[in-house]
């Protein structure tokens, strides 16, 4: 019997950047033809590196990548590009380039210098625009598009290339729930309707399970498991891959498994639920907590653009609050206005019933700390020196290291579990460690109120849980009031006592998670279908989105109501 | 120098750090940085002593000692006190000021490619100084004119770059445009000047410490005495500013005010240095990198180290220009010819990300 030969495969490849240690070792992997394959795994497991090797962007140190039975790096670039399209993780577009022009560049491998744009090229561009659903955006500059639209424009460019195989590197990163699903649906359609082979690196296990026929799970540079999604979506296996306990749950009516990563706090949550069931009283509902931070008719924005439009909201003291909403709904802007980082054009903000404009800068910084989404980290700096900068509002130029500073830094390192890392240079840390270090800095500031802007972005599942568990612990053991922007609805419901939902610069709903997060709310703020059901262990709401195209699923959900 | 000492390591501090507390004052001192500062200081003093002995009229260290004490012959005293000493003190002060100014600008802009000579601040100082020369104002105002020229250039660059925030790439482009414009202005001023003024101006612009007198030294020493403590104190805030404006704001720093102080200090350092020695290239760009490669991220200690390294570079370059080659070369030529290759070598070797 002759063994079936797949068009694209990696044979015993070892991958490394420069002369450094190998990122992946002895990988053998066949891309199933005409299927959607996703590669999952924690940060730094080598999944993007493998994809880059498949795309001929890096040459393996040992082994070969075969395209149609021939070593890919021996084939000319243009020949490869006619058969293989790639969506890179970070795209760089020239300023002000319009969508159609960008998509047209995908035709490069089919063109030559003397014959620039044939009727065939034009037809391919039209088709790509249509498939990606951006025909009406063709004359818009790429940098003015929303995140989801921009990602679709880039995918359209890869589509115009008209390759039977498409490689996508984290196509859903930076996108909110609705935009993520927009892209996942597109991937599925490309496969079902066009018969293209798709390989996507994804960080969201549930998205991978939904979109793909074949899942490849990687850890520490090797392939741990491979198979159809239902085989890979097993708690023990997920634990081995991501190093975090996972439950796979199914909602009542809908037969779709969903993976939820768990931290230690589920037990406390579980107790709370049991208690509220037996007592019949909700701990939170009994006595409304006094607000730590309160905004009234707040209007804020950048230069001429108003982003937050008359928001009145109050955040309970001693609780964890989460702000959720789609991209560009004003979540981060609200947080910045609360932290006095943006001028407030109208309305007032009170911190512990005192208008925030009244206190001096340093005095305010001793009351309220904020962790920005991303900040430059000076290279070569040691972790402890970084954390110690959180002491700035307590220091003077001549009092740079008082015993109180020393104690606060010591404690911050201890609570965040970064004591062992203190003498490491910051660039040596992993994503999760770096985020814990940044939290430690905010903690060393010793403020009763802590604002966190998307503390889990850029982190994989295990690190996300690690950071959120830490936030919970800070609230419970240190009594901190935490207000954070989160993009994962399930995590927001699980880790916050109070949820604020925003859309178009306004607060749409606020309250306890199970009161706020409903199917109607998700539909209205994200504009997408989902089913919301209680977590069988903790009782907090779980949100399971599904595509509009999934009519079968839609019917089941409607019936179950 | 030692980074580890035999003292028992306390739980909260590694052996490479000492905490100094005195009443309300408290500081952390990194032993490695302190050691490097000490070594650099010894090197500078050594170079100074050696430099005094060199020249057509060779002197021994004992004779120099005598000259300084006033016991040597009148000739020796004249050569040491009136000719060699002012020149070498000028070289030392100018070198340290340029280097520290570079450290400040690279720090506030979080960009390793900026230095006052590249983004037009030195050119601004030159225009200020030249205006003074061609309009025949008293030369006593030269430092003030150069300082104001530099400050005006910095303000213009800042205003043209500002778009809600300062973007590094944009700033360099604006700065280069400014530099070109100001350099053209200097040339124009020279062509309009009378020959006597023009030749004086050209001599000044070559960038040389030749012919410095005690008046220059006095000015430089006073400026250093004011600006170095100021700069060192500001480093405390600059360190936090390097985490980005947003983080600096959340830590309660008056970001715009601190940045203004830093810019004024940086302009004063480079403007005054330029007013005395003319624009000496390369020192401000390169020396802060040396210091960071040796000692790590910028702190007050590294700032002082930067100054000492700048002093050693300019003094050493002046010694080479004066004595090692047959002809007397201006110091700026040597700093570039010597420093640049070594700098490139260091860049290719080091793992420090810039």
């Amino acid at each position: 019997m002759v063994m079936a030969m797949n068009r694209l495969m990696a044979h015993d490849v070892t991958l490394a950047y420069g002369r450094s240690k190998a990122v992946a070792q002895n990988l053998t992997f066949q891309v199933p033809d005409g299927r959607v394959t996703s590669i999952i795994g924690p940060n730094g497991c080598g999944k993007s590196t493998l994809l880059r090797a498949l795309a001929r962007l890096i040459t393996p140190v040992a082994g070969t990548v075969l395209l149609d039975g021939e070593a890919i790096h021996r084939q000319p670039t243009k020949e490869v590009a006619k058969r293989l399209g790639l969506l890179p993780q970070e795209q760089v577009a020239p300023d002000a380039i319009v969508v159609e022009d960008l998509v047209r560049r995908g035709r490069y491998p089919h063109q030559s210098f003397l014959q620039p744009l044939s009727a065939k090229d034009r037809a391919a561009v039209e088709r790509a625009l249509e498939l990606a659903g951006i025909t009406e955006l063709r004359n818009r500059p790429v940098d003015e598009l929303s995140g989801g639209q921009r990602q679709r424009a880039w995918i359209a460019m890869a589509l115009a290339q008209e390759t039977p195989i498409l490689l996508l590197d984290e196509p859903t990163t930076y996108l909110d729930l609705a935009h993520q699903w927009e892209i996942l649906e597109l991937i599925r359609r490309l496969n079902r309707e066009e018969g293209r082979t798709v390989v996507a690196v994804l960080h969201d296990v549930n998205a991978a399970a939904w979109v793909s026929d074949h899942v490849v799970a990687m850890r520490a540079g090797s392939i741990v498991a491979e198979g159809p999604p239902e085989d890979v979506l097993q708690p023990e296996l997920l634990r081995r891959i991501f190093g975090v306990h996972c439950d796979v749950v199914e909602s009542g009516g809908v037969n779709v498994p969903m993976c939820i990563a768990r931290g230690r706090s589920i037990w406390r949550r579980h107790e709370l639920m049991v208690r509220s069931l037996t007592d019949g009283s909700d701990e939170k509902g009994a006595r409304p907590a006094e607000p730590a931070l309160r905004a009234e008719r707040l209007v804020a924005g950048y230069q001429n653009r108003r982003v937050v439009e008359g928001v009145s909201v109050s955040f309970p003291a001693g609780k964890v609050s989460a702000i959720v909403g789609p991209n560009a709904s004003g979540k981060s802007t609200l947080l910045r206005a609360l932290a006095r980082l943006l001028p407030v054009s109208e309305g007032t903000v009170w911190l512990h019933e005192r208008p925030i404009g009244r206190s001096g800068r340093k005095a305010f910084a001793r009351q309220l700390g904020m962790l920005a989404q991303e900040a430059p980290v000076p290279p070569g700096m040691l972790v402890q020196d970084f954390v110690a900068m959180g002491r700035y509002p307590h220091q003077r130029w001549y009092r740079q290291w008082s015993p109180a500073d020393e104690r606060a830094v010591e404690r911050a390192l201890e609570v965040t579990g970064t004591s062992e890392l203190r003498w490491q240079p910051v660039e040596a840390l992993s994503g999760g460690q770096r985020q814990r270090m940044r939290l430690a800095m905010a903690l060393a500031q010793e403020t009763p109120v802590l604002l966190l802007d998307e503390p889990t972005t850029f982190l994989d599942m295990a690190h996300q849980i690690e950071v959120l568990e830490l936030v919970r612990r800070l609230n419970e053991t240190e009594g901190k009031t935490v207000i954070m922007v989160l993009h994962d609805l399930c995590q927001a419901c699980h880790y916050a006592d109070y949820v604020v939902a925003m859309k178009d610069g306004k607060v749409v709903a606020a309250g306890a998670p199970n009161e706020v997060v409903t199917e109607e709310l998700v539909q209205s703020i994200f504009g997408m279908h989902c089913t919301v059901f209680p977590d069988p262990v903790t009782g907090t709401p779980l949100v399971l989105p599904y595509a509009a195209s999934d009519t079968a699923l839609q019917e089941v959900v409607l019936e179950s109501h | 120098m030692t980074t580890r000492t035999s003292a028992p390591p306390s739980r909260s501090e590694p052996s490479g750090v000492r905490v100094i507390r005195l009443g309300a004052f408290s500081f952390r001192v990194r032993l490695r940085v302190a050691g490097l500062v000490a070594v650099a200081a010894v090197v500078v003093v050594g170079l100074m002593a050696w430099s005094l002995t060199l020249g057509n009229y060779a002197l021994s260290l004992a004779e120099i000692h005598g000259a300084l004490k006033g016991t040597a012959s009148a000739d020796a005293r004249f050569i040491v006190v009136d000719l060699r000493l002012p020149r070498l003190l000028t070289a030392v002060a100018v070198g340290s000021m340029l280097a520290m100014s570079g450290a400040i600008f690279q720090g506030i802009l979080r960009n390793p490619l900026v230095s006052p000579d590249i983004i037009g601040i030195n050119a601004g100082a030159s225009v200020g100084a030249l205006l003074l020369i061609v309009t025949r104002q008293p030369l006593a105002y030269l430092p003030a004119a150069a300082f104001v020229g530099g400050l005006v250039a910095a303000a213009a660059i800042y205003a043209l770059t500002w778009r809600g925030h300062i973007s590094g790439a944009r700033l360099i482009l604006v700065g280069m445009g400014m530099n070109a414009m100001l350099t053209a202005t200097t040339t124009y001023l020279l062509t309009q000047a009378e020959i006597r003024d023009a030749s004086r101006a050209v001599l000044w612009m070559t960038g040389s410490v030749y012919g410095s007198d005690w008046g220059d030294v006095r000015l430089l020493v006073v400026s250093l005495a004011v600006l170095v403590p100021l700069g060192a104190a500001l480093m405390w805030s600059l360190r936090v500013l390097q985490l980005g404006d947003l983080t600096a704001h959340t830590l309660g720093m008056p970001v715009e005010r601190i940045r203004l102080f830093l810019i004024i200090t940086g302009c004063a350092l480079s403007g005054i240095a330029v007013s005395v020695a003319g624009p000496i290239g390369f020192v401000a760009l390169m020396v802060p990198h040396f210091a960071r490669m040796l000692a790590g991220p910028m702190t007050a200690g590294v700032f002082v180290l930067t100054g000492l390294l700048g002093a050693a570079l300019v003094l050493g370059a002046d010694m080479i220009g004066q004595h090692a080659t047959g002809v007397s070369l201006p110091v700026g030529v040597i700093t570039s010819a010597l420093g640049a290759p070594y700098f490139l070598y260091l860049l290719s070797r080091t793992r420090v990300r810039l």
Side-chain angles (χ1 to χ4, degrees):
Chain A
M1 203 184 93
V2 182
M3 226 181 79
M5 189 71 150
N6 289 48
R7 296 201 65 178
L8 183 63
M9 54 192 286
H11 182 71
D12 200 23
V13 292
T14 296
L15 306 168
Y17 292 104
R19 251 176 274 161
S20 57
K21 217 173 94 236
V23 181
Q25 238 152 13
N26 307 99
L27 290 179
T28 297
F29 163 57
Q30 307 220 353
V31 175
D33 289 334
R35 300 293 190 80
V36 178
T37 303
S38 55
I39 310 179
I40 59 168
N43 290 352
C45 70
K47 50 187 193 301
S48 289
T49 311
L50 173 60
L51 197 80
R52 275 177 217 155
L54 291 176
R56 196 190 184 271
L57 293 182
I58 53 175
T59 313
V61 182
T64 34
V65 173
L66 298 168
L67 177 64
D68 293 324
E70 209 186 320
I72 196 167
H73 59 267
R74 298 241 180 80
Q75 303 181 38
T77 349
K78 266 199 169 179
E79 284 312 306
V80 172
K82 282 179 187 164
R83 282 173 278 164
L84 217 153
L86 171 80
L87 175 78
Q89 202 174 110
E90 271 161 40
Q91 305 110 357
V92 188
D95 282 346
I97 185 174
V98 297
V99 170
E100 192 179 344
D101 198 8
L102 179 75
V103 175
R104 218 179 270 154
R105 293 185 187 200
R107 293 303 293 168
Y108 175 77
H110 301 276
Q111 292 168 330
S112 64
F113 181 65
L114 293 173
Q115 179 248 329
L117 199 70
S118 67
K120 201 163 161 257
D121 292 333
R122 253 180 267 267
V125 169
E126 287 310 311
R127 178 111 189 83
L129 287 169
E130 197 191 313
L131 262 176
I134 49 170
T135 312
E136 63 279 19
L137 301 174
R138 63 194 316 156
N139 292 321
R140 293 266 300 278
V142 175
D143 42 12
E144 283 177 17
L145 302 181
S146 77
Q149 289 171 335
R150 192 176 313 164
Q151 197 67 299
R152 279 191 293 168
W154 279 93
I155 293 180
M157 185 182 101
L159 289 179
Q161 217 174 315
E162 293 201 313
T163 58
I165 304 170
L166 263 180
L167 307 178
L168 313 172
D169 196 357
E170 305 238 9
T172 59
T173 336
Y174 313 118
L175 300 181
D176 66 24
L177 199 62
H179 289 137
Q180 280 179 22
W181 278 82
E182 203 171 83
I183 300 301
L184 292 176
E185 269 188 276
L186 174 61
I187 294 175
R188 229 178 162 175
R189 211 165 62 238
L190 288 175
N191 173 255
R192 301 286 188 273
E193 291 170 18
E194 299 262 300
R196 304 212 197 194
T197 304
V198 180
V199 185
V201 167
L202 290 171
H203 62 277
D204 182 345
V205 175
N206 291 315
W210 185 82
V211 79
S212 46
D213 311 295
H214 189 78
V215 177
V216 177
M218 290 184 68
R219 179 174 182 83
S222 17
I223 293 173
V224 186
E226 215 182 325
E230 53 276 19
D231 289 3
V232 179
L233 222 61
Q234 298 295 335
E236 312 78 58
L237 189 58
L238 290 173
R239 194 199 172 88
R240 247 180 55 220
I241 300 164
F242 290 99
V244 62
H245 176 73
C246 290
D247 278 345
V248 176
V249 299
E250 273 179 31
S251 86
V254 196
N255 196 18
V256 178
M258 189 179 177
C259 151
I260 305 152
R262 303 288 197 192
R264 244 176 247 141
S265 68
I266 60 162
W267 302 116
R268 189 198 137 272
R269 279 286 173 159
H270 184 67
E271 273 165 37
L272 266 182
M273 187 183 68
V274 171
R275 204 189 310 153
S276 73
L277 285 178
T278 48
D279 296 357
S281 70
D282 190 351
E283 190 190 42
K284 281 159 262 157
R287 191 162 33 88
E290 68 153 313
L293 203 54
R294 185 161 65 90
E296 214 159 273
R297 293 192 308 280
L298 177 69
V299 177
Y302 306 90
Q303 268 130 37
N304 314 319
R305 206 157 48 88
R306 281 152 65 118
V307 182
V308 170
E309 297 264 9
V311 162
S312 294
V313 65
S314 61
F315 297 94
K319 301 280 182 197
V320 176
S321 305
I323 307 175
V324 298
N327 288 354
S329 61
K331 307 184 295 279
S332 295
T333 311
L334 172 63
L335 211 64
R336 285 181 186 193
L338 293 176
R340 242 173 71 165
L341 296 175
L342 279 180
V344 169
S345 25
E346 281 168 46
T348 333
V349 180
W350 286 271
L351 175 66
H352 295 301
E353 297 306 315
R354 191 187 146 99
I356 56 167
R358 289 245 187 100
S359 34
R361 283 167 191 275
K362 276 195 170 180
F364 184 72
R366 289 192 290 262
Q367 288 298 311
L368 182 143
M370 171 162 164
L371 196 61
Q373 210 172 99
E374 224 189 339
V377 173
M381 185 170 270
L382 302 180
V383 170
Q384 173 175 301
D385 292 340
F386 187 92
V387 173
M389 284 202 262
R391 295 300 295 167
Y392 184 80
H394 299 268
Q395 294 165 326
R396 312 283 303 171
W397 66 266
Y398 56 83
R399 196 180 61 234
Q400 302 190 347
W401 196 242
S402 69
D405 294 334
E406 203 172 320
R407 277 195 301 274
V409 169
E410 197 60 37
R411 179 144 181 69
L413 288 167
E414 209 171 286
V415 173
T416 53
T418 42
S419 297
E420 276 74 51
L421 306 169
R422 65 201 311 173
W423 309 126
Q424 305 240 3
V426 288
E427 61 264 36
L429 304 191
S430 76
Q433 289 171 332
R434 184 175 293 209
Q435 202 63 328
R436 277 191 298 168
M437 167 190 82
R438 298 184 58 221
L439 263 174
M441 182 180 105
L443 217 57
Q445 213 175 324
E446 293 196 317
T447 59
V449 180
L450 196 55
L451 309 190
L452 311 172
D453 195 358
E454 304 229 13
T456 57
T457 346
F458 313 115
L459 300 181
D460 64 25
M461 217 157 66
H463 288 135
Q464 286 181 10
I465 296 300
E466 184 183 310
V467 166
L468 291 171
E469 287 289 321
L470 172 59
V471 167
R472 201 64 240 181
R473 205 160 63 240
L474 293 179
N475 167 255
E476 279 158 22
T477 62
E478 316 268 307
K480 301 247 184 234
T481 303
V482 179
I483 302 167
M484 57 184 168
V485 171
L486 280 183
H487 61 273
D488 187 313
L489 282 175
C490 301
Q491 286 176 351
C493 292
H494 183 91
Y495 286 99
D497 305 300
Y498 191 79
V499 173
V500 173
M502 288 188 74
K503 192 198 178 184
D504 297 334
K506 294 198 171 66
V507 170
V508 182
N514 39 8
E515 291 162 16
V516 170
V517 179
T518 59
E519 281 155 26
E520 295 75 48
L521 179 98
V522 176
Q523 168 78 49
S524 80
I525 67 173
F526 290 102
M528 69 173 312
H529 303 285
C530 72
T531 169
V532 174
F533 59 102
D535 187 317
V537 182
T538 64
T540 53
L542 286 178
V543 180
L544 177 66
Y546 57 87
S549 58
D550 239 334
T551 41
L553 196 55
Q554 205 169 348
E555 274 162 30
V556 179
V557 175
L558 288 176
E559 263 170 42
S560 71
H561 281 280
Chain B
M1 54 244 86
T2 53
T3 52
R4 296 202 162 74
T5 60
S6 54
S10 79
R11 205 174 72 86
S12 59
E13 292 296 341
S15 43
V17 175
R18 286 284 174 278
V19 177
I20 295 170
R21 293 205 176 101
L22 243 175
F25 290 79
S26 56
F27 298 95
R28 292 177 79 221
V29 179
R30 277 193 291 156
L31 294 180
R32 181 182 168 81
V33 176
L36 283 168
V37 166
V39 170
V42 168
V43 168
V44 169
V45 171
L47 275 179
M48 283 165 74
W50 187 20
S51 154
L52 282 177
T53 64
L54 296 176
N56 290 334
Y57 193 100
L59 290 164
S60 70
L61 279 177
E63 283 170 303
I64 288 162
H65 183 72
L68 291 175
K69 271 176 65 186
T71 53
S73 67
D75 282 359
R77 255 187 298 158
F78 173 73
I79 285 169
V80 171
V81 177
D82 290 337
L83 293 183
R84 292 186 188 168
L85 203 52
R87 177 174 183 156
L88 80 91
L89 286 176
T90 303
V92 164
V94 163
S96 64
M97 288 168 93
L98 286 174
M100 288 190 283
S101 156
I104 288 178
F105 281 107
Q106 287 174 7
I108 16 177
L109 298 165
R110 284 197 296 278
N111 193 320
L113 296 176
V114 278
S115 75
D117 41 334
I118 287 179
I119 60 171
I121 289 169
N122 285 3
S126 300
V127 170
L130 265 186
L131 272 176
L132 193 89
I133 293 174
V134 300
T135 53
R136 298 201 178 154
Q137 303 297 319
L139 286 183
Y141 297 135
L142 199 64
F147 168 57
V148 170
L151 203 59
V152 168
I157 294 162
Y158 207 81
L160 288 171
T161 310
W162 182 264
R163 285 287 176 280
H165 66 286
I166 291 290
S167 128
R170 194 181 154 84
L171 184 126
I172 293 179
L173 288 177
V174 169
M176 284 179 162
M178 190 62 81
N179 196 23
M181 207 172 78
L182 291 170
T183 312
T185 312
T186 8
T187 316
Y188 174 77
L189 284 177
L190 277 182
T191 58
Q192 296 301 304
E194 273 182 41
I195 188 72
R196 208 162 50 87
D197 299 330
S199 61
R200 184 192 288 164
V202 166
L203 183 72
W204 174 81
M205 275 174 56
T206 359
S208 164
V209 289
Y210 167 77
S212 318
D213 57 28
W214 280 104
D216 294 334
V217 173
R218 217 167 292 130
L219 169 75
L220 290 170
V221 167
V222 170
S223 322
L224 277 174
V226 174
L227 295 172
V228 172
L230 190 62
L234 282 168
M235 284 303 130
W236 180 242
S237 294
L238 181 66
R239 208 178 43 111
V240 176
L241 202 57
Q242 289 193 313
L243 302 182
D245 286 10
L246 212 56
T247 307
H249 271 298
T250 63
L251 290 174
M253 178 193 287
V255 172
E256 302 308 331
R257 198 190 324 153
I258 294 282
R259 196 155 31 211
L260 185 67
F261 283 159
L262 280 163
I263 288 179
I264 291 175
T265 311
C267 282
L269 282 168
S270 72
I272 292 168
V274 167
S275 77
V276 171
I280 298 175
F282 206 56
V283 180
L285 174 68
M286 186 181 69
V287 176
H289 290 301
F290 275 138
R292 288 190 305 136
M293 285 173 202
L294 287 171
M298 195 52 72
T299 57
V302 182
F303 181 69
V304 173
L305 178 66
T306 309
L308 288 169
L309 291 178
L313 177 71
V314 171
L315 178 57
D318 188 43
M319 285 162 68
I320 292 170
Q322 210 182 339
H323 307 298
T325 55
V327 285
S328 245
L329 284 174
V331 59
V333 175
I334 309 292
T335 53
S336 309
L338 247 192
Y342 183 56
F343 179 60
L344 292 176
Y345 164 76
L346 259 193
L347 264 183
S348 67
R349 286 286 311 274
T350 184
R351 291 246 185 106
V352 176
R353 269 185 294 144
L354 302 171

